[in-house]
Every structure is written in structure tokens, then in C-alpha cells.
Amino acid sequence: MKRFLFLPLVASLALGSTQNSSCRCLYGQQCWPSSSDFSSLQSRLSQPLIYPIPTALGCYPPSSPSGDCSDIQANWYNGTWRADHPGSMDMTNYESFIFKNGSISACYFNTSLGTPCEQGNVPVIGVDARSVGDVQAAVKFAASHNLRMAIKNTGHDYAGRSAARNAFMLWTHHLNNITYNPTFVPAGAPQSETYDALTLGAGVLWKDAYSAATANNRSIIGGISGGGDVGAAGGWLQGGGHSAFAPYHGLGVDNVVEFNLVTASGEFVTANAYQHSDLFWALRGGGGGTWGVVTSVTYKTHPVFTVTAVFFNATTTSTDTMKKLFTEFVRIHPSLSDSNFGGYATAANTSLNFFYQLPNSTDAIANASFTSFFEVAHNLTNEGLDIVTQVTGTYDSFDQWYTSLFGSAAGGGGGIVELASRLLPTALFAESEYVDFADKLFAIAGDGIIWNFVAGGAVSKADPDSTGLNPAWRNSLVEAVWGAGWDEGATYSEIEQARAVLSETMAQVSAIMPGAGSYFNEGSLFEPTPQQTYFGSHYDKLKQIKTSYDPSGLFIVGAGVESEDWTDDLNCRL
């Protein structure tokens, strides 16, 4: 079987011709750095160079030592385990690569498919950064050799932006220092401006950030996922960073105080309200992998708060019955937003379930907010609605809530999914609009739409122009997300059919709310107008800043700022 994964990295064995200067240099081309070039790079690094491999390679002997496959099989769906492997992506479809002729290079978990394990979309070589110096050496090397660069910390990336075929990887997963400072002063700020803050290295996972905050009797606003396997200082934050508690304390971009990063020139800079303030603005919502390599971020923390959670789950065989319940569910969201509720739901033609959280409250107050909804639900039991769960409970702290619901989970990696999303404007929830809006959205829901109640409240109160984030976030209540998946080994035609269904749903939702925005981290790479959808009126300013800090376009990602100036594969400038 072909094992190109371990081909010598020497120019004399290159498999292609040198590209012109408008294109990136890729592995297999004559321009690819020689062994001596990589040896020179190695001399400037604290760790050996890494050679990322597809996750399932150990199940294709004789490539790996005996026993590796057992470990892979046991942890395939463990997102935290995947984060520890440079070649692993949380969504396995982004480890695969589809050629223009429709053929696919991949390494499938299902070895019975009988296809060879190939490198796919996994970069071939990279740097395991353990210091700012390592990052600078890697960035300068990539720039000097005109390499296609992929920046990865955890691989929890629903758009595959942390992988790239035949590319050079910079892995920041081991930049995991955490520092607590109750009197943090941003660089260049007056000494009187202090924050009770946590500084997190680029590779820190949210589960570890939460533990650090709790150890210091503080709380921090971050991503919510099984196993806490989302990176706290990477794409989550730079794309906006939503949370179940964003309506209470704002989005990630509203809580970050300072970034440390290496720019395309290899310069190490601090970006905050006082230094490189334009870059600070762009980093807060302008998209991950675009502005430089973030080495650490500093977040303000908050006092510990109690969490009252409302859990509800109902099913029915009657779509008419569920439509009535969904309409009431939509109606109550403005009042829930006013109370600082946040949380997550899934809505389908025959089911509705949610768990919503209210900080610093009580069971009685939380239940009162749902009085009308519960009344409608119980009345609908006469029409066949089955209320499976209706529970309210208060936790002493965010940490207790998080540990109880997510602490023992392994994470949700190992699947195949592509997403699309829309931010649902607050205006559509108005008394005069919600019935028509609910009716149209329910007609699209089908097997289910993920309903992230992560806007409104404090999110809506922030100045829309205070950060580079799409202003649509500030006048929306909910992020609706839907996805498409397929089985391992699916043909290109089958994948395209799944994507077509995703795109059709996207078009239907867009028709309900023309011009609505989308969350960069949970959106589609096939948006018709990504600049408007992901960045809104901030796009022109973001592009100006991008040109200023990265004139050569070293950091380009799918649907990101300036990506429209590159070919679809992001390898050649147009």
C-alpha cells in the first residue's frame, strides 16, 4: 500500500513543478523546502518537527506499532483525545480531501471499506509550538518559503479551517499556561485600569480554564461542549465566542482584554485597547486563522454566580400539535432575553427540547418565566403531546452546573458534519411578527434545527461597533444551526447531494430573513455572500486591517477576510 505519509521531504523527490509567485508552495512541488531547510528550522525550535498523520492510520498495519488501533477504536469519538493528536480533526470529513474529478483521499475508520489510508487534507509536516520563539520561527519559515499554512490548536473546527492538504502546520496545542491575576493591567493602560483576569495560552481547553477560574473563586464566560474540548484562545473567541451565559455577561469578544500574537512578519505584538487597537478590534470577531498566531489571551473574570436550569422535553406524532407549542416557544423569547436567560434547544416537527439557564435566580423565578409556555404544553397533552421532562433546579455555581452536565462527557468528535446557520433577528420575535415567523421556520425545521439561545441580553447592549464582530449579533436573539452528514466512504455525488439539501435549507431560512447574519464558527463554507453574512458592515474595515498586517496573505481561511481574493482551494491569489 502506498505510504506517501513518510516520503522524504527533499526537493529532489518533488512530485510537481514549481508554482508561480501568486500561488502557495505545496508538498510535492519543486519549490518545497529541502531537508537542509527543515534541518535549519529544526535548529531554531524547542521540539522536534511533527509529521501529522490521519487519525485512523494505526488501524492500517504495518504502518504503526501493534496496539495503536485499539486506542483509536476506544477514543474515536472522544474530542479531548483528538485534540492531543495533530492530525486529528474533531469532524473527520475535514481530514479528507476531494479532488476536482470527484475522487477522495482519506483514511477511514471503517477499514472494511477496503480503501487505502491516505493523507487526505491533513498537513504533512509542522511545528509543535511550546514558546513564542517556536511560533515566530514557524511563521518566518512559512513566509520565506511561501508555504500554505494551517494553524491548529484543538481541531474543534466545524469548517475545517485548521487543516489543509500538502500544507505546513503550526500546532499551538501545547501553549497551555494559565495565569490568574486579580489586578491585571493591560499593556499601555494606566495603572488604575485593572481587571480580575485569567491569561490563557493558545492551547488551553475550556475545561481547564473553568477549573482555573473555580480554583480562584471566579467565573469566566466560555464555550460549552461535552468534555470541554473547545479551545479557549483560538477560533472560538476570534469568531465571536458564544455561550449559554453570553446573555448575562456578553460574548467571548466582549470579555477579552488583551491578545498576544505573532503577526505575518514574525513580530510578537500585544493587542489591546491601547496598543495595536485596530488589530484588537479585528481579532474580536474577524475570524480565526486570519490575523496572526495568537499565543495567549487575557479574559476578565466575574464573581461566582448560581445557575437555575430549566429542562424540558416533549414529543408528539402530530406536527399540528408541535407547531402550536413551537409558536409559544418563539413568543416567550423576548421576555426570557430580558431576564438574561440563555441556553440550547432543538426543535423539530415532532419534538422540542431545551435546557435554559438563568444566573443568580431561584426555581420559583425561573418557573414563573415559563408559566404561559408550560400552560400551553399541558393543554396540548389533550392533543397527544407527551411531556417527557419538565424539571427546574438550582446549582450553587457555574462549576457545579458545568461539571454535572458536561464534566464526565468525552467530547463529541469523530463525526461527519457540515453546518450552516443564521442569526435570528430580534424584530421577528415581536408581538406582530412571531406567529408568521414561527410558522415559516417550523415548516423548514423537519428533522431538527439546533436553537442556540446565546444572544440578546448583554450581547444586545454592547456597542455594535466596539468590536470587529458582525453587528447582526447585536440585534439578534437566537442562532439557528442545521447540518448535513454522510457515511464514511460516501461518493462525491452522495456528498454533493447532502450539501445540496443543506444549501436548500439555507436558502429557505434566508428567504424568511433576507440579509440575516451567520456565526463564522458554525456557518457554511458555501455561503453565496460570505463577506456580508459573516462580517456585515464591518467587512471593509476588516479587510483594510488585514492588508495592513498581512499584505502577503499568509493567513487565509475558508470564507474568511480576503478569501475572495484567492482561488477556491486558497492556494493561489486571483
Side-chain angles (χ1 to χ4, degrees):
M1 179 163 42
K2 185 179 180 183
R3 290 300 172 191
F4 63 90
L5 305 164
F6 308 107
L7 285 177
L9 296 171
V10 294
S12 61
L13 294 181
L15 305 177
S17 60
T18 303
Q19 297 291 294
N20 62 52
S21 60
S22 66
C23 293
R24 294 292 178 225
C25 179
L26 305 176
Y27 174 71
Q29 296 173 347
Q30 291 179 4
C31 56
W32 187 255
S34 67
S35 291
S36 61
D37 292 328
F38 281 108
S39 294
S40 177
L41 170 62
Q42 179 64 79
S43 69
R44 300 190 295 276
L45 300 173
S46 67
Q47 302 293 315
L49 288 164
I50 55 173
Y51 300 87
I53 58 174
T55 313
L57 178 64
C59 294
Y60 290 78
S63 298
S64 296
S66 176
D68 281 2
C69 189
S70 297
D71 187 42
I72 293 166
Q73 291 171 334
N75 291 287
W76 184 260
Y77 299 103
N78 185 327
T80 306
W81 177 86
R82 284 179 164 273
D84 287 333
H85 295 75
S88 291
M89 306 299 145
D90 215 51
M91 298 294 105
T92 63
N93 43 305
Y94 294 115
E95 293 182 29
S96 301
F97 182 83
I98 302 175
F99 293 93
K100 290 182 179 180
N101 65 4
S103 61
I104 300 173
S105 174
C107 187
Y108 295 125
F109 182 50
N110 182 2
T111 58
S112 68
L113 292 171
T115 58
C117 175
E118 296 185 335
Q119 190 78 6
N121 205 41
V122 178
V124 295
I125 191 170
V127 169
D128 176 7
R130 306 292 178 102
S131 67
V132 170
D134 286 344
V135 174
Q136 289 177 302
V139 168
K140 290 177 181 178
F141 183 82
S144 66
H145 291 279
N146 193 30
L147 304 181
R148 173 72 186 277
M149 193 173 190
I151 306 167
K152 178 179 183 289
N153 60 10
T154 72
H156 191 107
D157 182 348
Y158 287 119
R161 297 183 176 105
S162 56
R165 180 171 175 79
N166 292 328
F168 175 74
M169 174 182 284
L170 177 49
W171 194 35
T172 63
H173 182 60
H174 291 113
L175 293 173
N176 50 21
N177 287 339
I178 300 177
T179 304
Y180 173 67
N181 185 346
T183 56
F184 178 83
V185 180
Q191 290 300 304
S192 59
E193 183 178 333
T194 63
Y195 295 88
D196 196 306
L198 271 179
T199 298
L200 310 175
V204 172
L205 303 180
W206 273 118
K207 67 182 182 69
D208 298 317
Y210 292 145
S211 295
T214 298
N216 289 285
N217 198 34
R218 301 291 290 178
S219 63
I220 187 171
I221 302 303
I224 308 297
S225 66
D229 59 349
V230 176
W236 176 87
L237 170 61
Q238 293 168 58
H242 73 53
S243 167
F245 300 94
Y248 186 51
H249 278 312
L251 295 163
V253 295
D254 302 319
N255 283 271
V256 65
V257 176
E258 186 170 275
F259 291 87
N260 287 314
L261 70 155
V262 175
T263 64
S265 66
E267 182 183 4
F268 179 63
V269 303
T270 296
N272 58 34
Y274 300 91
Q275 298 182 175
H276 299 285
S277 58
D278 55 346
L279 187 56
F280 183 55
W281 184 86
L283 282 160
R284 290 175 294 156
T290 299
W291 309 100
V293 183
V294 171
T295 58
S296 68
V297 301
T298 299
Y299 288 97
K300 59 184 176 183
T301 65
H302 303 276
V304 172
F305 53 84
T306 63
V307 177
T308 301
V310 179
F311 301 88
F312 181 86
N313 181 23
T315 63
T316 180
T317 58
S318 169
T319 56
D320 288 341
T321 297
M322 186 53 65
K323 182 178 177 180
K324 294 175 184 177
L325 184 64
F326 180 71
T327 300
E328 176 63 15
F329 180 65
V330 170
R331 188 192 71 81
I332 64 174
H333 272 76
S335 63
L336 295 178
S337 176
D338 291 342
S339 299
N340 294 324
F341 266 103
Y344 309 102
T346 55
N349 289 163
T350 57
S351 65
L352 174 66
N353 70 81
F354 63 80
F355 63 107
Y356 278 7
Q357 285 66 237
L358 182 61
N360 284 334
S361 188
T362 65
D363 290 12
I365 292 174
N367 279 327
S369 300
F370 285 89
T371 298
S372 64
F373 176 82
F374 289 151
E375 287 178 351
V376 169
H378 283 275
N379 288 336
L380 288 174
T381 58
N382 296 324
E383 298 182 21
L385 185 73
D386 180 15
I387 300 175
V388 180
T389 304
Q390 182 184 320
V391 177
T392 304
T394 297
Y395 301 82
D396 291 338
S397 64
F398 165 86
D399 182 67
Q400 187 185 73
W401 171 85
Y402 182 81
T403 301
S404 175
L405 271 61
F406 299 98
S408 61
I416 293 177
V417 66
E418 287 187 7
L419 299 180
S421 68
R422 282 293 180 272
L423 299 172
L424 308 186
T426 305
L428 295 180
F429 292 81
E431 196 68 29
S432 61
E433 299 287 340
Y434 82 90
V435 174
D436 182 60
F437 172 51
D439 181 68
K440 291 177 179 177
L441 196 58
F442 185 80
I444 300 170
D447 293 333
I449 288 180
I450 299 169
W451 183 272
N452 293 329
F453 187 22
V454 293
V459 177
S460 65
K461 295 173 184 175
D463 179 357
D465 294 324
S466 62
T467 70
L469 183 71
N470 188 344
W473 271 102
R474 307 305 182 181
N475 58 19
S476 299
L477 282 186
V478 171
E479 181 213 11
V481 185
W482 57 100
W486 50 86
D487 294 330
E488 268 197 330
T491 65
Y492 175 65
S493 176
E494 291 168 335
I495 294 172
E496 284 297 282
Q497 290 175 19
R499 286 173 172 170
V501 173
L502 185 70
S503 295
E504 175 59 25
T505 304
M506 187 162 57
Q508 292 173 349
V509 174
S510 295
I512 300 174
M513 53 195 86
S518 176
Y519 180 34
F520 187 71
N521 293 338
E522 292 172 341
S524 171
L525 290 174
F526 304 102
E527 281 286 350
T529 56
Q531 297 80 31
Q532 174 61 36
T533 305
Y534 290 128
F535 308 106
S537 59
H538 287 162
Y539 187 75
D540 288 345
K541 181 177 178 180
L542 287 167
K543 191 168 183 178
Q544 291 173 359
I545 297 170
K546 169 71 172 171
T547 302
S548 173
Y549 283 92
D550 185 15
S552 68
L554 181 63
F555 306 117
I556 300 292
V557 297
V561 174
E562 208 177 73
S563 62
E564 73 277 13
D565 296 338
W566 293 73
T567 52
D568 290 344
D569 60 10
L570 303 181
N571 288 330
C572 296
R573 191 186 288 273
L574 296 172

